[in-house]
Amino acid sequence: MLSSDRGAEVGRTTIKDVSERAGVSVGTVSNVLNAPQRVAPQTRERVLQVVSELGYRPNRAARGLQARRTYLIGYLLPERETNVNTALDSFLHELVSTASPHGLEVVLFAPRAGQTALEGYRDPIRRGDVDGFVLSETNYDDERIALLSRSGFPFVSFGRSLAEDPFAWVDVDGASGIADAVRHLLGAGHRSIALVAWPEGSESGDDRVAGYRRALTRAGVAPNPLLEVRCLNGVDQGRKAWRRLSLMDSPPTAVVAVQDQLAIGVLLEAQAMGLRPGVDLAVTGFDDTPAGALLGLSTVRQPLREVCRLLVEHLVHRIEDPWADPGHDLVRPELVIRSSSGADVINAPRPRAGSELHRYRRRYRR
Amino acid sequence: MLSSDRGAEVGRTTIKDVSERAGVSVGTVSNVLNAPQRVAPQTRERVLQVVSELGYRPNRAARGLQARRTYLIGYLLPERETNVNTALDSFLHELVSTASPHGLEVVLFAPRAGQTALEGYRDPIRRGDVDGFVLSETNYDDERIALLSRSGFPFVSFGRSLAEDPFAWVDVDGASGIADAVRHLLGAGHRSIALVAWPEGSESGDDRVAGYRRALTRAGVAPNPLLEVRCLNGVDQGRKAWRRLSLMDSPPTAVVAVQDQLAIGVLLEAQAMGLRPGVDLAVTGFDDTPAGALLGLSTVRQPLREVCRLLVEHLVHRIEDPWADPGHDLVRPELVIRSSSGADVINAPRPRAGSELHRYRRRYRR
DNA sequence: TTGTAGGCGTTATCAA
DNA sequence: TTGATAACGCCTACAA
């Protein structure tokens, strides 16, 4: 019955409604909202009173029309097949939550059927649907960055890239994340630590490989090229990777994977061979996916909240001052230790992989 | 160098640019785009030529301002804890892809800190940020439905609910999905089939339970209340459920869970007890989550594309004609048989052909 | 301190 | 068949 109950009626309240009810001009109402100091305290109070009574909120489209803004930022959903970032759910949550306080909402796009991802950006830009774009799954020679840079359209990238011109980006220090994992395994006594990585040529992939080698080298363990397996993403690939590694004369006692999916594959295949994860074989992943958590997979977790906070911050700067130098940030991920790397085992004795492995190898070796 | 290369320049092209270059009035350009038959073929061609040269696209905000529309639909992200629909990723993909051809884009919202989900809807409505809302995770006495119904704001719900007034919804026939799973297990020879379900009181939960009982009864197997375990969602709950069931004098040979997470818990716990999934114990889930697929979990898959197609269809109707009776649809899910329920067993019944799907889709419209 | 006018890009209406 | 004009809701000058 209260007037506030009626704020949600079909016809939206406009600034004119407020001005009439408060007995002032629309300009004054606008000033109350945007430049309160220019309005007499008395009128200001009266107007604010009416504003709250009517539940008035300035219309975003109208505001944007005159300000040449949309107060919207765009995110083009990555194709599911190529989607390396399995944490899309959390990412969007954080992105929306951190953008909202800036008065920005997130609009989702997807390339239409038969359209390339690149083309998916063009239309929204042309119609001025958004003030800027957030990119993710960025790679070395990302065409999107070239396109957006050239067009001068504000954007920020989750992930570094090679590009002629500077652009705003935020990235997770994958090298240091993987290095943490390696150090964790070294600390548990492992000396033969394998790496399951993607083929060379991806920004985040190569970055993580570098971290692996660095951590080993710094600990005085010479990286063994035979312990580096390359494959595409996916659980099956992980399984295959472990099958290969297990056939070595002296198989590794630990595996560091550059992604949870791969790690899960390794884990499952090792389990199928009768090895106990965390005991007979230590495994770590990357991304902290739900599936990994489920299986007790130790992993490197990306600080998505922090990442999104920075992404939005940079993007707002790009929008407000496209001429300023684009900034960037590298944030450190966090190592999450679970049972797959012997969370329960304190100073565990060397995994005794021998017996089960021999059994397996006798069975499968051709 | 071509003019089409310059379409993405910073300053967007407006209808005025087109009109000047084509030597016609803006009204004519507008007509070419919105009512081509009212324009002479010759001028029409000329204008279209310029439009494509300049890569002109009408500005959404301006168009919406005058049409009192935003061409945007809203989706409030469910809180991650209560998020039963683990397929958010796919859902958003399909939603965006099916909305886009209607000229609608999807805007994401999230309740701000300290705000209830309900309050999260109010602001966007007040400022007229969107033309309508898509709800998911809908339940019996969903307050959102009361709020939106009362305010007369267009919306459509993924999920049924008890509500005084009719509203537009699309739902998956969980009962029939679970019944399919039960029939599949019956067909494989199981007679002692347990159910792991959520506590009574959730729309989709109770619906699925009903399907379980119905399928058993129809097959002449009396439902045994002792075989119905109730627990909250989550892998751990599933583990606990199987622990309880395994203590029975004669434990069930198959378990039907109302959600993948629960099924995974059952699977893992059974495995930990030395049981082989699909051989010693058959398990089925619901939702076809990636984690489930990974573990070879048989499951009931929601036809998200179809669901989203219908959601958008209904929402468009609500927006265009809020006075028309809200329609609704019940779509049949699909049973996906994997190893957890003995996919390899020869006698397992095959899933039905997809071509008959339309027969199962029952459509009510008043 | 407040009110008025113009314009943001578009479409609808009406006149030519 | 086409063109001018008036909104749509808001903000920013500038005038009072």
Side-chain angles (χ1 to χ4, degrees):
Chain A
M1 284 315 128
L2 292 173
S3 54
S4 62
D5 261 353
R6 314 176 54 80
E9 272 173 4
V10 177
R12 285 189 47 264
T13 36
T14 72
I15 198 171
K16 204 178 157 204
D17 299 330
V18 177
S19 75
E20 282 169 0
R21 190 125 118 119
V24 295
S25 75
V26 292
T28 301
V29 177
S30 178
N31 278 332
V32 168
L33 266 26
N34 302 300
Q37 74 287 356
R38 312 190 65 187
V39 165
Q42 206 176 338
T43 23
R44 193 196 304 154
E45 282 316 309
R46 187 151 36 95
V47 170
L48 286 175
Q49 171 69 22
V50 176
V51 163
S52 94
E53 270 176 28
L54 264 38
Y56 167 75
R57 295 281 182 288
N59 177 268
R60 167 176 271 128
R63 212 156 80 91
L65 187 58
Q66 96 86 27
R68 293 152 162 283
R69 295 261 321 237
T70 62
Y71 304 103
L72 258 26
I73 59 181
Y75 178 73
L76 192 94
L77 290 167
E79 312 230 14
R80 250 164 325 196
E81 301 79 48
T82 60
N83 185 0
V84 169
N85 170 20
T86 347
L88 184 68
D89 187 350
S90 316
F91 177 68
L92 288 179
H93 252 286
E94 297 300 345
L95 189 62
V96 171
S97 301
T98 49
S100 182
H102 291 264
L104 296 171
E105 311 298 343
V106 176
V107 187
L108 257 29
F109 296 92
R112 345 196 101 185
Q115 231 185 10
T116 68
L118 208 57
E119 292 171 313
Y121 289 91
R122 225 183 281 264
D123 257 29
I125 292 181
R126 281 188 179 159
R127 9 169 54 103
D129 278 348
V130 295
D131 291 339
F133 267 110
V134 175
L135 272 46
S136 73
E137 328 273 308
T138 302
N139 222 318
Y140 281 143
D141 55 341
D142 209 300
E143 291 175 293
R144 302 174 299 171
I145 293 188
L147 169 75
L148 292 167
S149 287
R150 242 188 307 127
S151 70
F153 199 79
F155 75 97
V156 61
S157 157
F158 181 5
R160 284 159 282 180
S161 175
L162 301 173
E164 293 182 27
D165 304 309
F167 64 97
W169 57 261
V170 177
D171 204 358
V172 168
D173 191 345
S176 106
I178 290 286
D180 284 346
V182 171
R183 271 193 295 271
H184 158 59
L185 295 168
L186 286 168
H190 295 276
R191 284 302 171 270
S192 177
I193 304 173
L195 175 76
V196 177
W198 300 314
E200 254 178 301
S202 82
E203 187 272 314
S204 54
D206 295 355
D207 184 39
R208 294 174 195 185
V209 171
Y212 163 80
R213 295 185 185 149
R214 195 182 67 199
L216 284 181
T217 309
R218 291 213 181 145
V221 178
N224 176 356
L226 293 176
L227 287 177
E228 293 184 14
V229 180
R230 301 293 188 142
C231 55
L232 296 176
N233 208 25
V235 176
D236 286 339
Q237 298 285 325
R239 302 190 91 117
K240 215 167 10 178
W242 174 247
R243 250 176 274 142
R244 270 178 55 193
L245 286 168
S246 65
L247 293 176
M248 293 179 65
D249 286 336
S250 85
T253 62
V255 175
V256 170
V258 298
Q259 218 273 327
D260 267 16
Q261 305 252 3
L262 290 171
I264 290 171
V266 170
L267 207 74
L268 294 177
E269 190 64 20
Q271 231 165 359
M273 292 184 186
L275 300 182
R276 291 161 299 171
V279 182
D280 303 319
L281 179 71
V283 183
T284 69
F286 202 110
D287 265 2
D288 194 20
T289 61
L294 227 103
L295 298 170
L297 179 68
S298 295
T299 191
V300 179
R301 178 193 290 153
Q302 314 212 33
L304 286 184
R305 172 159 309 176
E306 174 78 351
V307 166
C308 288
R309 220 204 68 223
L310 293 165
L311 283 172
V312 170
E313 206 173 86
H314 285 298
L315 186 52
V316 167
H317 286 150
R318 298 307 300 148
I319 294 169
E320 284 172 354
D321 184 3
W323 301 105
D325 282 333
H328 55 254
D329 280 293
L330 194 58
V331 303
R332 256 184 96 103
E334 178 196 0
L335 181 63
V336 181
I337 300 177
R338 299 205 182 91
S339 57
S340 78
S341 63
D344 313 307
V345 186
I346 302 188
N347 281 334
R350 280 319 57 259
R352 22 164 208 107
S355 56
E356 289 87 350
L357 262 180
H358 286 315
R359 237 177 44 213
Y360 167 82
R361 289 159 77 186
R362 244 177 279 121
R363 249 193 306 168
Y364 289 90
R365 194 172 247 164
R366 348 173 166 219
Chain B
M1 285 316 128
L2 291 174
S3 54
S4 63
D5 261 351
R6 314 177 54 80
E9 273 176 2
V10 177
R12 285 189 45 265
T13 37
T14 73
I15 198 170
K16 204 178 158 203
D17 299 330
V18 177
S19 75
E20 282 169 1
R21 191 128 122 120
V24 294
S25 75
V26 292
T28 300
V29 176
S30 178
N31 278 332
V32 168
L33 265 26
N34 302 300
Q37 74 287 353
R38 311 189 64 188
V39 168
Q42 205 175 341
T43 25
R44 193 196 306 155
E45 284 314 311
R46 188 152 34 95
V47 170
L48 285 175
Q49 171 69 22
V50 175
V51 163
S52 95
E53 270 176 28
L54 265 38
Y56 166 74
R57 294 283 182 288
N59 177 267
R60 167 176 271 127
R63 212 155 80 90
L65 185 59
Q66 104 85 30
R68 295 153 159 281
R69 296 260 322 239
T70 62
Y71 304 102
L72 258 25
I73 60 181
Y75 178 73
L76 192 94
L77 291 168
E79 313 230 15
R80 266 187 315 282
E81 301 79 48
T82 61
N83 185 1
V84 168
N85 171 20
T86 346
L88 183 68
D89 187 351
S90 315
F91 177 68
L92 288 178
H93 252 286
E94 297 301 345
L95 189 62
V96 171
S97 300
T98 50
S100 182
H102 291 264
L104 296 172
E105 312 298 344
V106 176
V107 186
L108 258 27
F109 296 92
R112 345 196 102 186
Q115 230 185 12
T116 69
L118 208 58
E119 292 170 315
Y121 289 91
R122 225 183 282 265
D123 256 30
I125 292 181
R126 281 190 179 158
R127 13 169 51 105
D129 278 348
V130 296
D131 291 340
F133 267 110
V134 175
L135 271 47
S136 74
E137 327 275 307
T138 303
N139 222 318
Y140 280 142
D141 56 341
D142 209 300
E143 291 175 293
R144 302 175 299 171
I145 292 188
L147 169 75
L148 293 168
S149 287
R150 242 188 308 128
S151 71
F153 199 81
F155 74 98
V156 60
S157 157
F158 181 7
R160 284 159 283 180
S161 175
L162 301 173
E164 292 182 27
D165 305 309
F167 65 96
W169 57 260
V170 177
D171 205 358
V172 169
D173 192 344
S176 106
I178 289 287
D180 284 346
V182 170
R183 271 193 295 271
H184 158 59
L185 294 168
L186 286 167
H190 294 277
R191 283 301 171 272
S192 178
I193 303 174
L195 174 75
V196 177
W198 300 313
E200 253 177 302
S202 83
E203 187 270 314
S204 55
D206 295 354
D207 184 40
R208 294 173 196 185
V209 171
Y212 163 79
R213 294 185 185 149
R214 194 181 69 200
L216 285 180
T217 309
R218 292 213 180 143
V221 178
N224 176 357
L226 293 176
L227 286 177
E228 294 184 13
V229 181
R230 301 295 187 140
C231 55
L232 295 176
N233 209 25
V235 176
D236 286 340
Q237 298 286 324
R239 302 190 92 116
K240 214 162 20 173
W242 176 248
R243 252 176 272 143
R244 272 178 52 192
L245 287 168
S246 66
L247 292 177
M248 293 180 66
D249 286 336
S250 82
T253 63
V255 175
V256 170
V258 298
Q259 218 272 327
D260 267 16
Q261 306 252 1
L262 291 171
I264 289 171
V266 170
L267 207 74
L268 294 178
E269 190 64 21
Q271 232 166 355
M273 291 186 186
L275 298 181
R276 290 161 301 172
V279 182
D280 303 318
L281 178 71
V283 183
T284 69
F286 202 111
D287 265 2
D288 193 20
T289 60
L294 228 99
L295 298 170
L297 179 68
S298 295
T299 191
V300 179
R301 178 193 291 153
Q302 314 212 35
L304 286 183
R305 173 160 307 176
E306 175 78 350
V307 166
C308 288
R309 219 203 71 224
L310 293 165
L311 283 173
V312 170
E313 205 174 88
H314 285 298
L315 186 52
V316 167
H317 286 151
R318 298 307 301 149
I319 294 170
E320 283 172 354
D321 185 3
W323 301 105
D325 283 330
H328 54 251
D329 280 291
L330 195 58
V331 302
R332 249 186 101 105
E334 179 196 358
L335 182 62
V336 181
I337 300 178
R338 300 205 181 92
S339 57
S340 78
S341 64
D344 311 308
V345 181
I346 309 278
N347 282 333
R350 310 302 321 152
R352 276 180 257 264
S355 58
E356 294 181 56
L357 206 101
H358 65 280
R359 285 234 313 261
Y360 299 125
R361 204 191 90 204
R362 300 185 50 196
R363 182 167 195 143
Y364 310 79
R365 195 162 235 150
R366 331 200 257 137

